Amino acid sequence: MSAATAAAHPIEARGLVKRYDHVTAVDHVDITVEAGTVYGYLGPNGAGKTTSLRMLLGLIRPDEGRARLFGRDPLEEGAAALDGVAGFVEAPRFYPYLSGRRNLELMAALDGGDAADRIDDALETVGLAERDGDKVSGYSHGMKQRLGIGAALLRDPRLLLLDEPTTGLDPAGMRDMRELVRRLAADGITVLLSSHIMGEVEELCDRVAIVRSGRVIYEGAMDALLHRASAHGQRYRLRTTDDVRAWDVGSYLAGVSELVSGDDGLTFAAEHEQVVAELSLALAARGVGIVALVPATASLEELFFRMTEGAEANEEGTA
Ligand SMILES: Nc1ncnc2c1ncn2[C@@H]1O[C@H](COP(=O)(O)OP(=O)(O)OP(=O)(O)O)[C@@H](O)[C@H]1O
């Protein structure tokens, strides 16, 4: 790799557009992923995540714009531009009647170079070293997903593109996959991860782009997004011995806003913790017992829905 490409960003895409008949799947998307980050590409079904990742990897041609990986355009330079890059965009396909190890051996033979020397490490990293001799047909969905990442690791990537790697996994499978992504990032691999799961992106990513109908409606540091999510005050969930009365008390208290009564008690926003303390005292004074009063953790999720489905989405610029 030349000095010029070594200094380039792992991903730099400008003005990517992809249209299918009347659908603009990807609409002028800019993405810059800096080395060492775990970058979340977050959006609901049909937002254009897979199409974007496929363009980044040069699997499909954009109608407009261009993408560079470490300074190289996969459409112009072909396989050479994918040096150091591995993608996991479609569900990985393996020979079911062969073992996990044998599948990796076949892939390594295709890849050539020293890929075969990395098989043991790859199996170890993805937690399949103990099951490497079992037929893939006997693997769980999560194991197949991890074998897919193992296959990507044979290329010794410095950049890994993962399209919804936890989709379809059970909670334990999701946890294992997240743990694996964290480990790969700790090993210095830059990761672009698409997901529709807000909590997952919040947990794993340093930076995030939120996409809706092919457009990036927010781009920025995860911290800044979370800060923005709580700009109108921290939200809380409240359950009491008498929610109707509690609602009355809350609605008259200064500093309490967005008071909503739901099936599982009340939610509200409070500008300061002091307001929460005042509310608890006011409830006690009126004989209402607090059963639970906890900060609501779904702030990113709420923000996401506001951005992707609410009227606010139209006014949002990229940050
Ligand atoms: N080959 C294709 N032909 C026609 N339309 C397509 C094609 N690929 C994608 N689309 C359309 O482009 C839009 C974006 O699809 P894409 O698969 O990129 O979204 P996504 O965010 O990855 O969604 P999901 O989470 O459901 O996979 C959708 O409306 C989809 O129907």
Side-chain angles (χ1 to χ4, degrees):
M1 163 160 304
S2 71
T5 54
H9 291 307
I11 299 179
E12 196 154 73
R14 292 290 171 269
L16 285 183
V17 174
K18 186 70 188 177
R19 299 185 191 90
Y20 290 108
D21 298 325
H22 57 282
V23 176
T24 305
V26 175
D27 192 0
H28 295 94
V29 162
D30 297 336
I31 312 172
T32 303
V33 178
E34 294 183 9
T37 39
V38 180
Y39 192 102
Y41 203 59
L42 176 67
N45 287 338
K49 303 181 296 296
T50 303
T51 307
S52 298
L53 265 61
R54 298 184 83 207
M55 283 192 282
L56 292 176
L57 286 166
L59 296 171
I60 52 171
R61 181 173 284 276
D63 293 316
E64 291 174 36
R66 61 191 314 165
R68 287 203 160 82
L69 305 176
F70 296 108
R72 294 165 142 183
D73 185 334
L75 286 176
E76 282 172 9
E77 301 183 44
L82 298 179
D83 183 27
V85 179
F88 181 77
V89 172
E90 258 92 52
R93 292 199 187 91
F94 298 105
Y95 295 107
Y97 50 86
L98 298 178
S99 69
R101 176 179 288 276
R102 187 73 194 121
N103 269 281
L104 294 194
E105 283 169 356
L106 291 174
M107 286 177 179
L110 275 179
D111 262 1
D114 49 4
D117 301 339
R118 284 191 277 271
I119 292 176
D120 284 336
D121 276 353
L123 286 166
E124 187 70 43
T125 303
V126 301
L128 289 173
E130 312 277 295
R131 305 284 304 270
D132 65 334
D134 296 5
K135 284 184 184 173
V136 167
S137 56
Y139 280 9
S140 69
H141 182 47
M143 290 165 75
K144 285 180 194 155
Q145 295 286 94
R146 284 187 280 128
L147 187 63
I149 296 208
L153 294 179
L154 296 182
R155 313 197 58 196
D156 195 18
R158 287 171 299 129
L159 169 66
L160 197 52
L161 286 85
L162 303 175
D163 191 24
E164 309 224 25
T166 62
T167 295
L169 300 185
D170 64 14
M174 281 187 170
R175 186 202 54 215
D176 291 348
M177 182 58 78
R178 287 174 193 170
E179 185 49 44
L180 175 56
V181 170
R182 226 177 265 124
R183 220 177 313 141
L184 298 173
D187 283 347
I189 300 178
T190 303
V191 179
L192 173 74
L193 168 96
S194 88
S195 176
H196 62 271
I197 304 171
M198 286 59 80
E200 175 169 294
V201 171
E202 180 175 351
E203 199 183 306
L204 291 175
C205 300
D206 317 304
R207 213 169 166 86
V208 62
I210 299 183
V211 284
R212 172 190 186 253
S213 307
R215 291 179 53 202
V216 175
I217 57 169
Y218 176 88
E219 203 279 333
M222 197 70 221
D223 286 354
L225 178 64
L226 294 175
H227 182 70
R228 177 189 167 118
S230 58
H232 303 293
Q234 170 70 51
R235 288 197 68 79
Y236 291 85
R237 295 188 194 286
L238 171 67
R239 282 199 300 123
T240 68
T241 52
D242 184 347
D243 285 349
V244 174
R245 212 151 180 205
W247 195 92
D248 262 355
V249 173
S251 61
Y252 284 109
L253 197 69
V256 169
S257 59
E258 300 172 35
L259 187 62
V260 179
S261 176
D263 290 343
D264 192 28
L266 308 172
T267 62
F268 64 95
E271 278 170 29
H272 307 289
E273 278 189 346
Q274 185 57 29
V275 172
V276 184
E278 284 167 17
L279 177 62
S280 64
L281 291 174
L283 290 171
R286 284 164 185 77
V288 180
I290 294 175
V291 177
L293 176 54
V294 288
T297 51
S299 56
L300 176 60
E301 190 160 1
E302 285 164 7
L303 182 85
F304 176 81
F305 282 117
R306 267 202 283 141
M307 282 182 167
T308 57
E309 292 183 347
E312 190 181 323
N314 296 328
E315 285 106 54
E316 291 288 344
T318 43

